[in-house]
Amino acid sequence: MSHERLYEQRLARYVTAMRNDTPDRVPIRPFVAEFTAAYAGMTCQDVAHDYQKAFDAALRCAKDFDWDAVVPNMVYVWTGLTQAAGLRYYGIPGIGLPPDTAFSYLEPPEDRAFMRADEYDALIENPTAFLFNTWLPRVSADVAAPGAPASYRSHLALVKSAMALMEYFNAFGPQIDRLRVECGMPSAIAGIFKAPFDILADKLRGYLGLVEDMATRPAKVLAACEALMPHLCRVGLATADPARLLPIGFWMHRGCVPFINPRQFASHYWPTLRPIIEEFWKQGHQTLFYAEGRWAAHLETFRELPRRSIVFHADRDDVFAVKRILGDRFAISGGVPNVLLSFGRPEEVRDFCRRVIDEVAPGGGYIMDAGAIMQNDTSAANLRVLTETTREFGVYPGASAPTAVPPCDLPESVADRSSLQGMAGRPAPRVAAGVCLPWEEVAAELPPVTGNPDLVRRVWERVDRLGNDYIWQLLLSF
């Protein structure tokens, strides 16, 4: 079979399952990260420092395993870029860590959080300016804060990291083409998103700082989440799949028990998350809820979202319970314990995967995967058992994978989407999402614009967006 035909079949199978429909067989979509390095005979340092090696390792796995979709590079953080920016919050393999230890995020000490407790008003007033003026100089070892002496290293960090980010992102298009042409393999996701509350906890106040703020200034926390909403929504939509086939990746971090309690989830996390997810769906994009940790306390709440609008990925949650609660509304993926794939016996892997196929996959809407991203301790033999077991037992008799119709285009979904409010009606930010310096302010500083003023404005705004993309992608992706 040609790679193009194989690509079409796999994509149709994957998209059909994400519609919560029944394809010809259970699709396999493993989120393999540092596993690809170990399988390809590389170290964690190799794939973290050299993204081309990471691309090659992902391609090697795609060629050797009979999967239906993969991420072009699940070792997403390129340390060449993080070093160019001088980011302080990374543990980097080969620099202070053994070369075969995966990169990690470092939580700052509570008294040195990247955003101080008294800085909420500045963040709320203009999130983009706050990121450039306050956050970036603190997370970078080289970028100077406003008022500090300018330096060669500061200028170099800004230029190098911006150029590196553009180089890296531009490399993903050719990598996705290689997966299609050389392997017949679709990409698994498109786009990046995190919840406003998670951004505060992960990258601004730190977890402990946010816990304190929820006790002492909960109104400020809520206002900050609301101020972040249009910007995070804009990044998700700007990076989404234009064909509306692949879901936006949403990495879920600090909103589950035990990080916050259900009352705080209801007052802060959910009200500032749900409108964005509905806006994504309103615009025709599913969201992959990559539910890291345990989210059982909130599964009933997730049922409030429109049918098919999300794919729920089970990590530490009981995937069988997830099926019972969410299976009539959304597709489900994952649920195979990582510890089983790393240290279990092959027969144990086979038995568990058969149970998932027997209890979660009936009726369609299930995608086989581990519970969490697979690192270099995952057993290649066990991952092959998962693959072979799914291929042997995950067949739907009499079913076939139809054309890959986007989930949003099904008649029922079209009707649901037309009634959604999403982000409509919310107060507009003082500086619009996607903007650093508004054209109106810049135009007032220029000599008279003659000839074609619209041309001047359009070019200015297009280039200004690049600056906005830089800071928000640094915040979200790195």
Side-chain angles (χ1 to χ4, degrees), residues 144-442:
S151 70
Y152 173 63
R153 291 179 66 100
S154 177
H155 298 326
L156 198 58
L158 285 169
V159 173
K160 283 176 59 179
S161 60
M163 296 295 287
L165 187 145
M166 183 172 290
E167 176 196 318
Y168 183 45
F169 282 3
N170 285 341
F172 271 84
Q175 170 70 352
I176 291 169
D177 288 341
R178 287 182 70 197
L179 286 169
R180 178 172 185 159
V181 172
E182 298 181 32
C183 311
M185 186 76 67
S187 179
I189 56 174
I192 181 73
F193 171 70
K194 291 178 184 174
F197 193 93
D198 285 339
I199 288 293
L200 283 175
D202 288 350
K203 293 290 185 69
L204 296 173
R205 288 291 291 130
Y207 172 65
L208 293 178
L210 188 58
V211 167
E212 179 181 335
D213 295 343
M214 287 296 292
T216 59
R217 49 183 66 83
K220 290 290 186 184
V221 174
L222 182 59
C225 288
E226 291 172 339
L228 290 168
M229 287 174 67
H231 301 274
L232 299 174
C233 182
R234 184 255 169 191
V235 174
L237 290 172
T239 55
D241 177 16
R244 303 184 302 174
L245 292 168
L246 306 177
I248 296 170
F250 167 32
W251 311 105
M252 302 164 67
H253 291 162
R254 306 294 179 98
C256 62
V257 176
F259 292 111
I260 61 172
N261 61 46
R263 178 179 54 80
Q264 293 167 329
F265 177 91
S267 63
H268 285 66
Y269 197 92
W270 189 237
T272 57
L273 171 64
R274 178 177 175 176
I276 301 175
I277 303 304
E278 292 187 346
E279 184 65 30
F280 289 165
W281 187 235
K282 184 179 177 181
Q283 299 295 328
H285 299 285
Q286 273 187 315
T287 306
L288 172 64
F289 270 45
Y290 202 86
E292 295 179 306
R294 291 185 172 90
W295 293 80
H298 308 303
L299 295 181
E300 290 290 348
T301 300
F302 295 151
R303 289 184 58 85
E304 298 171 6
L305 294 169
R307 288 180 184 273
R308 302 188 182 90
S309 61
I310 71 169
V311 175
F312 186 87
H313 181 89
D315 173 19
R316 303 296 299 279
D317 287 304
D318 180 343
V319 70
F320 308 103
V322 171
K323 170 69 173 182
R324 291 192 295 272
I325 297 171
L326 297 181
D328 63 323
R329 296 190 66 81
F330 312 118
I332 297 164
S333 67
V336 179
N338 287 67
V339 68
L340 179 65
L341 291 171
S342 295
F343 307 111
R345 297 189 304 275
E347 58 269 25
E348 293 175 316
V349 175
R350 182 178 173 88
D351 289 347
F352 192 90
C353 290
R354 284 207 62 177
R355 185 187 171 200
V356 170
I357 291 167
D358 290 344
E359 298 182 29
V360 182
Y366 175 70
I367 300 156
M368 179 63 75
D369 194 358
I373 292 168
M374 285 175 265
Q375 297 183 311
N376 57 329
D377 61 352
T378 302
S379 162
N382 281 344
L383 191 50
R384 199 169 291 281
V385 169
L386 175 149
T387 303
E388 293 171 352
T389 302
T390 307
R391 287 294 179 242
E392 181 179 357
F393 298 101
V395 177
Y396 295 103
S400 60
T403 304
V405 176
C408 62
D409 285 347
L410 298 179
E412 179 187 347
S413 296
V414 171
D416 284 346
R417 288 168 51 216
S418 66
S419 64
L420 289 176
Q421 181 174 356
M423 293 286 287
R426 302 191 67 86
R430 187 181 68 80
V431 177
V435 174
C436 293
L437 296 175
W439 166 247
E440 295 75 16
E441 295 181 15
V442 174

